[in-house]
Amino acid sequence: MQNIRPLDGITVLSLEHAIAAPFCTRQLADLGARVIKVERPGVGDFARAYDERVRGMASHFVWVNRSKESLTLDLKTSEAQEILHKLLPEVDVFVQNLAPGAAARLGLSYEKLHEQYPRLIVCDISGYGVGGPYEQKKAYDLLIQSESGFVSVTGTPDEMAKAGCSIADISAAMYAYTNILSALLLREKTGEGSHIDVAMLESMVEWMGFPLYYAYNGATPPVRAGAAHAAIYPYGPFPVAHGETVMLGLQNEREWKAFCQIVLQQEALAEDALYASNSLRHLNRESLKGIIEKVFADLDKEEVIARLEKAGIANASVNDMQGVWQHQQLKARERWTSVDSPVGELPALLPPGKNNAFDYRMDAIPALGEHTEAILISLGCSEEEIQQLQTRGVV
């Protein structure tokens, strides 16, 4: 197999930190792009210091920064600006998620860059986007989960909850990634680069389509239902013997009848007027929950899952993180590989989506400034000039 990747030959320059922009550019790197990550000298992306859970490295940083080159630059210096503009003629995509207005203050707005580099694609990722009363408002993942309404429908009836991962950052990263791919296709047609303005708020609100329409025209929004579904029942976690839990979900009346007959072994329940439709099962969920839990109390997890499988009812184990590390399906599909890092080889999940025409790029996680010298030499800097830049804190 010729391993020609979709983004081979594409160069991405990113002024990035935290999750949204780094996760976007890591996926571009997965497809073969060269990603040059600009970091602050001596400090770097502040996500490097979030924790020390991966042999001293931060879990977030390990996740979203493989296959990149780390270039340290103090962008407030004129020398660093010169270095940046030596790089830009060869760059296809410029990504940034600095504080609102920071890139423009550095002379790196789309308008300025487009004048000098008309083929350059510029992607700005921010909390609330360009324009509007919230443009300058600080935005972090939890705050966008809150502003988008996600937190209001997540949790239990007594307490709201956020997602257990950086879902707002992830949503913005995914829309930045797909918009950049479409912009590269557009450039093939027009010959010119374009500007992409990705807002975390808009990315999350797009993902809130079901609860938004459920509450259309002033209707009551979905109730917070913990791990259960807010509008379909039975759909969620159920306790079984020995303190374990099984997750299951019904989607239609055929499945409801099979659930009653095979899983609960109470065929007459399928005809009970209290539970004759999903809306009625949702309305009477407490009484139905009692019936289900009474049956499951005498069955262990394997017995419940066996009945669910026989009935064709979707189900799942409630895995913790160690359960996911050991998941037999991921192992069977050979989804784990390893990447190098400053602390040695680390396990890494291959990107979702198996393409038979190429292998994903799975290169090392960079140390801070690891590629600075090599990049500067490629731009024509001598060793003496590099030493001077290092002494003055420019790189």
Side-chain angles (χ1 to χ4, degrees), residues 236-240 244-248 301 304-305 308 315-318:
F238 290 89
V240 298
E244 294 191 288
T245 301
V246 169
M247 194 76 71
L248 64 91
K301 185 173 80 169
V304 172
I305 289 177
L308 290 165
N315 64 84
S317 297
V318 182

Side-chain angles (χ1 to χ4, degrees), residues 317-332:
S317 297
V318 182
N319 288 317
D320 60 13
M321 291 303 97
Q322 296 311 314
V324 178
W325 277 113
Q326 303 300 325
H327 204 293
Q328 60 181 342
Q329 181 68 5
L330 296 174
K331 182 178 180 181

Side-chain angles (χ1 to χ4, degrees), residues 371-386:
H371 304 89
T372 300
E373 188 171 341
I375 291 171
L376 293 177
I377 289 171
S378 74
L379 296 176
C381 292
S382 66
E383 289 189 13
E384 183 180 351
E385 288 172 321
I386 293 170

Side-chain angles (χ1 to χ4, degrees), residues 32-225:
R34 179 193 186 194
V35 176
I36 301 171
K37 179 185 180 79
V38 177
E39 302 189 70
R40 292 171 294 170
V43 179
D45 180 342
F46 54 72
R48 286 182 179 271
Y50 277 172
D51 57 57
E52 302 82 30
R53 301 303 292 260
V54 189
R55 295 189 210 157
M57 295 186 69
S59 52
H60 284 83
F61 192 87
V62 167
W63 167 39
V64 298
N65 285 289
R66 65 172 179 249
S67 305
K68 298 180 184 179
E69 299 172 34
S70 174
L71 167 65
T72 52
L73 286 178
D74 180 356
L75 293 172
K76 294 179 180 177
T77 65
S78 58
E79 296 100 322
Q81 288 280 325
E82 289 174 13
I83 292 167
L84 208 61
H85 283 280
K86 285 182 180 179
L87 275 171
L88 279 166
E90 305 303 317
V91 170
D92 298 280
V93 181
F94 175 72
V95 180
Q96 68 86 19
N97 69 329
L98 304 179
R105 290 191 294 273
L106 292 168
L108 299 172
S109 67
Y110 167 72
E111 291 74 20
K112 283 284 184 68
L113 290 170
H114 188 66
E115 288 177 9
Q116 296 174 272
Y117 316 105
R119 285 180 54 82
L120 182 66
I121 293 162
V122 176
C123 180
D124 296 324
I125 305 172
S126 63
Y128 297 99
V130 177
Y134 280 36
E135 180 179 1
Q136 297 299 316
K137 193 175 176 68
K138 278 190 173 182
Y140 301 129
D141 181 84
L142 172 59
L143 308 181
I144 297 298
Q145 289 192 39
S146 180
E147 285 281 355
S148 66
F150 179 85
V151 169
S152 76
V153 298
T154 305
T156 68
D158 298 323
E159 186 176 5
M160 58 188 170
K162 70 176 187 67
C165 62
S166 306
I167 190 170
D169 283 320
I170 294 167
S171 67
M174 295 307 296
Y175 284 111
Y177 168 57
T178 54
N179 270 273
I180 288 168
L181 295 179
S182 66
L184 286 166
L185 291 172
L186 182 63
R187 192 178 68 174
E188 290 298 305
K189 299 176 184 294
T190 67
E192 285 208 359
S194 52
H195 181 221
I196 303 163
D197 170 15
V198 175
M200 292 170 65
L201 176 65
E202 292 159 14
S203 301
M204 271 303 294
V205 171
E206 166 65 23
W207 285 12
M208 292 295 292
F210 146 63
L212 275 171
Y213 282 114
Y214 192 87
Y216 179 68
N217 202 25
T220 304
V223 297
R224 293 196 298 268

